[in-house]
Amino acid sequence: MVPRVGMTDLEALSVPFACIDDDGQADASRVVKKRAIRCALSRICGICGDTLNRPIAFLGPRSEADGNRFAFPPLHLSCARESAAARADAVGGHLGHVHADGAWLMVTTGGFDLIRPSRRGDPVWFSPNSVIEILEA
Ligand SMILES: [Zn+2]
């Protein structure tokens, strides 16, 4: 992750962009919906907050990969790789998940769809729509 101008202290502490709310509250075990939607609409990375480039990566538990819908926003391939490598040492949640254990997969794709909740309060999901590769993470 390359430090950016204007990066807050929390972001510098490597709490993912999508896990920090507008008040600066950071919790790696939950995704802030407003930021998740911003990641989708502005095509920015859920970890570093910079503009995405292809291929796009999604990272999450196997159950999410099997269902082709991820709770965490799209990522740079490099950010996904770093996050996958850091998962073993994750304390207090990882990429919007309370638990970072078990089998996780990384899916690379050329694009994705944002799945908006049908009910207020439910989370948004991200669905890769042209999967390139599925890797153990
Ligand atoms: Zn990134």
Side-chain angles (χ1 to χ4, degrees):
M1 193 164 74
V2 179
R4 290 173 293 127
V5 174
M7 178 179 259
T8 68
D9 290 344
L10 287 170
E11 286 166 321
L13 287 171
S14 78
V15 174
F17 172 82
C19 296
I20 304 169
D21 69 19
D22 289 347
D23 297 326
Q25 297 296 311
D27 180 352
S29 68
R30 76 187 160 101
V31 174
V32 176
K33 190 195 284 186
K34 191 174 173 183
R35 285 215 165 177
I37 292 170
R38 191 167 140 202
C39 286
L41 300 183
S42 300
R43 304 272 154 176
I44 56 178
C45 174
I47 289 181
C48 71
D50 283 340
T51 304
L52 288 168
N53 43 30
R54 290 196 175 108
I56 294 161
F58 287 91
L59 183 61
R62 177 181 292 278
S63 58
E64 293 185 3
D66 287 347
N68 198 42
R69 59 173 214 173
F70 288 86
F72 201 83
L75 305 169
H76 289 118
L77 193 53
S78 58
C79 288
R81 285 184 176 138
E82 281 181 32
S83 181
R87 184 168 67 93
D89 301 321
V91 176
H94 191 66
L95 288 195
H97 296 79
V98 175
H99 301 290
D101 53 353
W104 280 40
L105 297 176
M106 182 167 72
V107 172
T108 58
T109 178
F112 63 90
D113 297 310
L114 173 68
I115 303 171
R116 292 176 180 271
S118 51
R119 289 185 315 179
R120 188 182 171 91
D122 284 352
V124 297
W125 295 92
F126 299 87
S127 180
N129 60 20
S130 51
V131 172
I132 298 167
E133 206 173 13
I134 300 174
L135 304 161
E136 301 282 333

